[in-house]
Amino acid sequence: MIFKTALFEVPLYKTKVKKQAEIVNWFYQNIYPSFLENGVNEKSRNIFSSYFPNAPKLDKKVFDNFYQHEIKNFMIKAGFNIHHNWTVSTNYWYNIGLNNSYQEVHDHLGGPVIINYAAVHFLKFNKDIHAGTVFYNPLESVLKSTLPTRNEKLKPVDYEGLQKVIQVEQEDLIIFPAYLPHSVMTQNTDEERITIAFNLSIYENKSYESN
């Protein structure tokens, strides 16, 4: 008899955002009017986003307070010693996606500060009409290079599941490793899809920070 087991796993954490209503109110008071006045600022993707120029930024101190509960609970769940004096750094931006908006495959590695995790808060999201986030096996290119066949009907199970769409709802927050490739499929609705994304850097000393 042959037994099969998995050696490694890629973690993904999902939770509800405790201060959803407060974040929604802040966003519609401080960000949304600029979107109504100016329209999209990244026309090739049909989005309005503070990741690109000509859009107001999110207030870091305000949003650190908004997500304090979720970040602390995530660190406990992920096995960080909560009594240790970790340096925790965040970087926030938002995306308002319209019809035909999308996000190409990317990860969140790089930058002057080490990035361990990335997060997405689905501030406005209709699970019945909005496209979800697609995640890609980080070994996808390696697995594709060793495919024994391109015939889908003959493909062994070890080569299945190279991509997965995470089922989410409005108010959900997902946190995942920064190295994990992901994308957003093209939206086919006029209803706005609004997310707040952030990088999460957790490290033991300040030597990682740029001077």
Side-chain angles (χ1 to χ4, degrees):
M1 183 178 292
I2 296 179
F3 297 93
K4 178 182 177 181
T5 187
L7 294 176
F8 306 103
E9 67 175 10
V10 178
L12 185 140
Y13 304 83
K14 184 168 72 169
T15 186
K16 296 294 183 182
V17 173
K18 185 177 182 180
K19 294 185 176 181
Q20 167 78 7
E22 293 180 49
I23 298 172
V24 168
N25 289 337
W26 191 98
F27 189 88
Y28 277 92
Q29 289 177 9
N30 295 276
I31 301 298
Y32 199 74
S34 181
F35 163 64
L36 292 179
E37 180 180 354
N38 301 302
V40 300
N41 64 334
E42 174 49 41
K43 294 183 178 180
S44 66
R45 297 177 179 85
N46 204 29
I47 62 174
F48 183 70
S49 172
S50 57
Y51 192 82
F52 300 100
N54 304 316
K57 304 294 185 182
L58 297 175
D59 188 310
K60 176 176 165 51
K61 289 185 179 180
V62 170
F63 276 79
D64 279 346
N65 178 64
F66 281 153
Y67 294 119
Q68 181 180 20
H69 174 78
E70 287 74 26
I71 292 174
K72 180 180 179 181
N73 284 347
F74 156 72
M75 291 179 65
I76 294 172
K77 188 70 174 181
F80 286 89
N81 183 342
I82 203 66
H83 302 293
H84 187 70
N85 187 27
W86 299 101
T87 296
V88 180
S89 177
T90 53
N91 178 36
Y92 301 96
W93 66 97
Y94 58 82
N95 300 293
I96 303 178
L98 306 177
N99 197 15
N100 293 319
S101 64
Y102 70 96
Q103 179 66 58
E104 72 278 3
V105 180
H106 65 289
D107 58 46
H108 289 232
L109 296 175
V113 178
I114 186 172
I115 300 172
N116 317 100
Y117 297 93
V120 180
H121 173 199
F122 295 86
L123 192 69
K124 182 180 179 183
F125 186 87
N126 186 333
K127 63 180 181 179
D128 295 323
I129 61 175
H130 285 137
T133 301
V134 184
F135 288 91
Y136 301 83
N137 189 319
L139 294 177
E140 182 179 22
S141 60
V142 176
L143 290 167
K144 283 184 175 179
S145 71
T146 63
L147 271 174
T149 177
R150 297 193 179 280
N151 185 330
E152 290 294 324
K153 294 181 180 180
L154 296 176
K155 188 183 294 184
V157 294
D158 287 344
Y159 291 88
E160 295 177 350
L162 296 183
Q163 303 175 10
K164 290 188 177 181
V165 179
I166 301 300
Q167 300 302 313
V168 295
E169 299 178 347
Q170 183 169 293
E171 193 177 334
D172 282 347
L173 172 74
I174 57 174
I175 303 175
F176 51 92
Y179 63 76
L180 188 60
H182 55 287
S183 69
V184 178
M185 297 179 290
T186 301
Q187 306 298 307
N188 294 310
T189 175
D190 291 325
E191 184 175 331
E192 298 152 358
R193 177 188 190 273
I194 304 178
T195 58
I196 295 174
F198 59 94
N199 290 330
L200 183 58
S201 300
I202 306 171
Y203 47 93
E204 190 173 11
N205 60 68
K206 296 185 177 182
S207 64
Y208 287 111
E209 296 182 354
S210 59
N211 295 323

